[in-house]
Every structure is written in structure tokens, then in C-alpha cells.
Amino acid sequence: MTPAELAEVVLAAAHAVFDERGLDPAALPAQTTVERPRNPDHGDYASTLALQLSKKVGVPPRELATALADHLGRAPGVKSVEIAGPGFLNIRLDAGAAGQLAKVIVEAGPAYGRTDTLAGQRINLEFVSANPTGPVHIGGVRWAAVGDALSRLLRATGADVGTEYYFNDAGSQIDRFARSLLAAAKGEPAPEDGYGGAYIAEIAAEVVKRRPDVLDLPEDAAQEVFRVEGVQLMFGEIKSSLRDFGVEFDTYFNEKDLHDRGELEKALLRLREQGHVFESEGATWLRTTDFGDDKDRVLRKSNGEWTYFAADCAYYLDKRERGFERVVIMLGADHHGYIGRMKAMSACFGDDPARNLEILIGQLVNLVRDGAPVRMSKRAGTVVTLEDLVDAIGVDASRYALARYSSDSPIDIDVELWTRATRDNPVYYVQYVAARTASVGRNAAEAGLTRGDAADFRAELLVHEKENDLLKALAEFPAVVASAAELRGPHLVARYLERLAGAYHRFYDNCRILPRGDEEVTDLHRARLWLNDATRVVIANGLHLLGVSAPERM
């Protein structure tokens, strides 16, 4: 019996109690939940339904809990129900009902853990969005890992998600990039406000290779060639690096398109219609202080140039007009000040910032070896890049390490820890279970042991304490996925997988799955093979949500 199935049994018992007592059924919720008690001695699951309903119907909570317990105790698969405190229900399942979960998981396969808790939500998820003026640095890599994992989680809980990379191919930073490429091609030092690093010389050389005549052009024309060709080359490299990291986007959105299509004028007109635009000192402003911003924001400067904030407004409006009800933007630690102005901007459009716009801030990441920061990338000149991280610890370890911690916490990635083939390496610890469960399956086949038909599965034989602990851990997975999606926390999945790995290791050490030598294959061996295979399904499903492989061999 899964937690969701038990919750339905609890709700059915509540309906029966209400019918007997003539209570108003409108007070009953459409659905309820059960939870794992912190102390396993208190039972397999706990329900607070009696406490929730007591005030609504005017019945003391323990009296209501007693009536619920009486009905629940007679339900198939429920071994016992105890009442604790003011009206908590502590529920124990019989072994057969608990063990059936292994079959449910194996038969569900990749679908186990998926829910519809966010069904009907259309979410635009923007992450990374690094300027195409250099390789993706380690902070952007964190968002690549976390953002991609979050998109998988949101989809696993029923949301309609569009992932997006905002490609800043307009503005002063691109001009500095082009001037830096032109200087490198001429063999001159980078401009004072330009970009350094070996990658600038590499891209400049490639532009010259594509356009041998570029240095013969007037400087303005040459700079434009380096801008167009250089941005294309740099962004192609960024996309390739992210693809190798397992991250691809549904949409790559060009900032320049907003300007070319007149989207900034359109956004300005919409904001004027809402009554929040004013003119001052020759510039056009948005009165964001009406909605809690610390100061009003310039949309168009007195010289007629648009500001970055104006493009932000146009881009937000574009997303909303594409039908996305919720816009989620992931930004680095240095963008914390954007939250107030972006929330105010959403309100200026007439939206509800609490419902339509969500901004997640990620903290800094450091790559360390022997307790000291890893030396900066020679190629990038000033930062540790995606390639540096992958070269140091690999794609799987990188993705797992970056997703394992709440994004609002700074992290140090220890090269030695994350490359170690030992249990203190979290990704190795989890992936080892994936490999071990696969190995058990191969060895079982060689020994002539198969799970057999589902109809013959003897779930009631799984009575060992470690079997029960593993089943309880497996049962948590759908709720963990739903919670991780709702809280925007892929790290909850990683930490769950580590707990599950521990439960499996203890099961494996205490409950022999394969027959020894000429020992006859029994129904208990088969039941434990179901449990082994169910574990592999959940480990694989969880790792997939993090974009990490579930190896069959290690």
C-alpha cells in the first residue's frame, strides 16, 4: 500500500464516521495526506485528520480520532491504529500491505514518483543566461545544474514548463567584447574596460579565419564583424558546453530581437496605460516606488537610449503574452537588488508579483583542493569555468554536487572528496546502490532466480526490520519529489537518495537476496528480488531528476 492509497483509506474512514454521526460532509477535504512519524516506534504512518476536522464539526479531537481508528482498524492492509496526544492517528500496516509497494514501484518503472500536484501550471523557467562574452563560469554552472534539475522536477509534478536562456546580444558589454576581439586580432592589448583571457585571442583568430579581409575594413565596420561573428562563436561554444553538461533549453531568446521587433516600445505603451510612467529631466521613468521599490527606474535615458531595465520589462511582458502564468528567473548572488525592482515592475503591468513572478537567488560556489581555491582558468583568465569543473570531477559529480545544497547557501566543492571512490563521496554512495542493485539482478539471473509473476509475489514475507525500513524509505519518494518541486529545492531529492542508499545498504547487509550454492530458490528470495529491483527503479528515477546517470557497473 502506497502512502497515497493509505491516505484514501483514511479519508474513506472519515466519510464513514461522518455518515454514522450525521455530520456535514462539506467539512471533509477533497484529499488528505499521511506522513512518516519521526519516531518509527510510533508506527508506519501518522494522520492529523481528526485534529483538522474537530473544530469544523464541533467534535472533540480524541473522540473523532477514536471513531476514525475504529473504522481504519478494520480496513484491509491496516494492522493497527493507535491514538496519541490530542488526536494523532498512528497507523501500522500489515507486512503484506507494506510489501506490495515493491511491486507497485517495479511495475510503474520511470513513472513512480511522478504526480499531478502542479498540473495546470504554465511556468517559464529562465536560468544561466550568461552574457556571450566568455565561457560559463562556475556560478553559472550551478544554475545550469539546479535549473535543469528543477525543470525536471516541475515536469514530474505535472507542470507545463518552458526552459529559457536569455541571450544578451545587445548593449555595452557586447561592444566591449567586440573591441577586445578587434584588439586581439591586431595584436594590441585589450581595452581598459575589455575582456582578457586566452579565449579572446582564440575567437579573434577564428573570426579572421572566417573573414580574412576583416582587418582591412574601416574600424567601425571591422568592429561590427567581430561583434556579429564573435558573439555567434562564443554563444555556440556556450551552448556546446552546456549540451555536454546535459543541459539544453527549449528556447534561446535573443535580447536583440526585443529591440528589432519594437517590443520595448510596446512594453512602454502598456506601462503608460497602467498609469505608472512619468517624464523627468528629459528621461522616461517607471514609478516602481508605488510598489515597494527603493527608487524609481529609468526606462529611456535623456539621449534616447533604452536601459537594461526597459529590456527586462519587455522580456517579462513577452513571456506573459506567450501564456506563461508564472515567470521564474534564477539569478546570481550579485543580483539580489533586482528582486525589488522586478517585483515592482510586475505590479506595474497589473500582475500579482506573488503569483506571476518568482526570483531565485543562488549563492557563490568555490572549487577547492587541499582546502585552497583551485587556481583560476588560464583560458578564461579570471574565473573557474564549466570545463574546469568537469575536468576536475566529471559531469555526474559536478551536477550532483551543485544540486545537493540549497541554492541560497554558498558551497565549496572539494575536488578530492568528489573524485573519491568511497562512501563519503555522496554521488559515489548513491550511484553504488544503482550499480549494486543491477549487479544483484545479473547474479540472480545467473542463479536461475527471477521475480516471477506479479500475481505470485509474496509481499507478506517481507517482515524483517531492514526490509520494512527500506519499504518506508521507498514510499517517501513521491512526496519528496512533490515537495522538492514546490519548494524549488532539488537538494531535497539528493539528500533523500542518500537516506535511501543507507536503507538499502543495511537491507543488503542483513537480508540475503540470492540463494547460496545449491540452496533452493524460495518465495522469500523472489520477494527480496522485487524489493531490490524496486530500489533500483527509485534510485534511477531520483538520479534522473538531478540529471545524473544510474550506472549498472562501477
Side-chain angles (χ1 to χ4, degrees):
M1 184 183 298
T2 67
E5 290 170 338
L6 178 59
E8 291 178 5
V9 171
V10 172
L11 192 57
H15 277 281
V17 169
F18 272 48
D19 285 345
E20 286 177 355
R21 293 177 170 239
L23 301 174
D24 182 5
L28 288 167
Q31 57 186 20
T32 188
T33 59
V34 293
E35 298 177 351
R36 288 274 304 277
R38 292 184 180 180
N39 186 345
D41 292 339
H42 292 166
D44 296 324
Y45 296 98
S47 170
T48 59
L49 187 60
L51 296 170
Q52 296 168 21
L53 296 175
S54 174
K55 286 186 178 180
K56 292 183 179 180
V57 297
V59 177
R62 279 193 69 91
E63 181 182 331
L64 194 56
T66 300
L68 283 169
D70 181 58
H71 279 274
L72 276 174
R74 299 196 299 267
V78 175
K79 182 178 180 180
S80 65
V81 184
E82 297 173 356
I83 303 166
F88 295 102
L89 293 171
N90 291 333
I91 307 165
R92 298 181 191 276
L93 302 180
D94 63 39
Q100 285 294 329
L101 179 65
K103 183 174 72 171
V104 169
I105 293 171
V106 172
E107 292 180 336
Y112 182 70
R114 301 182 71 87
T115 67
D116 59 358
T117 55
L118 297 183
Q121 292 193 25
R122 286 208 70 205
I123 300 173
N124 181 281
L125 179 62
E126 181 200 341
F127 56 101
V128 183
S129 294
N131 290 336
T133 55
V136 180
H137 62 76
I138 196 168
V141 183
R142 183 176 198 176
W143 277 138
V146 174
D148 187 63
L150 182 54
S151 73
R152 294 166 185 244
L153 280 165
L154 293 171
R155 286 169 176 147
T157 47
D160 179 2
V161 181
T163 59
E164 197 142 318
Y165 187 118
Y166 185 50
F167 177 24
N168 301 88
D169 56 348
S172 60
Q173 83 279 3
I174 299 298
D175 293 336
R176 295 198 304 272
F177 179 61
R179 284 190 278 108
S180 301
L181 293 175
L182 178 57
K186 290 180 174 181
E188 299 173 354
E192 188 175 333
D193 61 348
Y195 296 91
Y199 77 95
I200 290 291
E202 293 171 11
I203 293 175
E206 183 61 29
V207 173
V208 173
K209 183 178 176 182
R210 289 185 175 193
R211 289 286 305 271
D213 65 329
V214 65
L215 296 179
D216 298 328
L217 299 173
E219 183 150 328
D220 286 351
Q223 184 174 316
E224 179 63 14
V225 170
F226 278 103
R227 188 191 72 78
V228 174
E229 297 284 348
V231 165
Q232 184 182 64
L233 286 165
M234 190 71 255
F235 193 54
E237 185 176 310
I238 290 171
K239 290 171 72 173
S240 177
S241 296
L242 289 169
R243 190 179 306 115
D244 291 343
F245 196 59
V247 178
E248 294 203 53
F249 293 84
D250 299 321
T251 301
Y252 293 92
F253 193 102
N254 289 4
E255 179 187 352
K256 190 171 181 294
D257 289 346
L258 291 171
H259 293 266
D260 293 346
R261 297 198 308 248
E263 297 293 326
L264 279 75
E265 288 87 350
K266 178 180 177 181
L268 177 58
L269 178 60
R270 182 73 59 86
L271 292 166
R272 281 191 191 280
E273 291 170 350
Q274 294 291 325
H276 302 296
V277 174
F278 67 98
E279 310 293 328
S280 178
E281 300 176 353
T284 303
W285 298 69
L286 184 64
R287 203 182 303 278
T288 52
T289 52
D290 287 348
F291 299 99
D293 196 6
D294 59 345
K295 61 181 180 180
D296 294 325
R297 303 291 170 175
V298 178
L299 294 171
R300 183 178 254 160
K301 302 175 186 178
S302 57
N303 64 3
E305 290 181 4
W306 293 103
T307 62
Y308 286 124
F309 182 66
D312 289 339
C313 295
Y315 187 36
Y316 172 79
L317 181 61
D318 179 87
K319 289 176 177 179
R320 294 284 288 120
E321 291 191 335
R322 279 186 275 147
F324 291 106
E325 175 191 9
R326 193 169 189 85
V327 173
V328 181
I329 307 172
M330 295 181 160
L331 298 173
D334 56 339
H335 287 76
H336 200 278
Y338 277 49
I339 297 176
R341 76 188 71 169
M342 293 294 286
K343 289 282 189 178
M345 172 266 290
S346 170
C348 286
F349 277 117
D351 282 350
D352 176 1
R355 183 171 66 89
N356 299 120
L357 178 62
E358 182 177 348
I359 297 178
L360 307 177
I361 299 293
Q363 294 301 319
L364 299 176
V365 183
N366 296 303
L367 186 63
V368 300
R369 182 184 281 113
D370 298 326
V374 170
R375 197 159 62 91
M376 299 302 185
S377 167
K378 289 182 180 179
R379 184 166 185 267
T382 57
V383 295
V384 175
T385 67
L386 188 160
E387 287 78 9
D388 295 328
L389 180 61
V390 171
D391 287 346
I393 66 175
V395 172
D396 276 350
S398 297
R399 291 193 59 137
Y400 193 97
L402 291 165
R404 185 177 185 258
Y405 302 92
S406 174
S407 57
D408 58 7
S409 302
I411 55 175
D412 289 334
I413 297 179
D414 187 326
V415 172
E416 301 216 342
L417 169 66
W418 289 95
T419 54
R420 201 176 293 158
T422 58
R423 289 189 174 192
D424 57 346
N425 175 351
V427 71
Y428 179 87
Y429 186 60
V430 174
Q431 287 185 316
Y432 187 73
V433 172
R436 173 168 271 184
T437 52
S439 175
V440 167
R442 291 192 299 271
N443 292 336
E446 291 176 5
L449 169 61
T450 66
R451 293 194 305 264
D453 293 338
D456 298 327
F457 172 46
R458 298 284 304 282
E460 71 276 9
L461 298 177
L462 299 174
V463 296
H464 194 283
E465 177 189 2
K466 302 306 178 187
E467 294 166 343
N468 189 251
D469 289 345
L470 180 55
L471 284 163
K472 288 179 182 178
L474 293 168
E476 289 181 41
F477 185 57
V480 169
V481 174
S483 180
E486 185 69 34
L487 298 175
R488 315 302 194 234
H491 66 283
L492 298 174
V493 174
R495 298 309 176 104
Y496 162 78
L497 290 175
E498 291 163 36
R499 296 197 304 274
L500 176 59
Y504 178 80
H505 285 306
R506 291 186 288 274
F507 157 73
Y508 183 88
D509 292 341
N510 288 276
C511 304
R512 184 161 184 85
I513 302 170
L514 304 177
R516 288 188 174 90
D518 296 331
E519 182 183 356
E520 181 182 353
V521 172
T522 67
D523 286 338
L524 179 57
H525 292 124
R526 296 187 184 93
R528 286 175 172 170
L529 186 58
W530 277 95
L531 188 50
N532 174 84
D533 293 355
T535 304
R536 174 158 178 85
V537 168
V538 176
I539 288 285
N541 290 357
L543 286 171
H544 174 74
L545 290 172
L546 301 179
V548 177
S549 69
E552 295 195 356
R553 290 178 170 84
M554 288 183 72

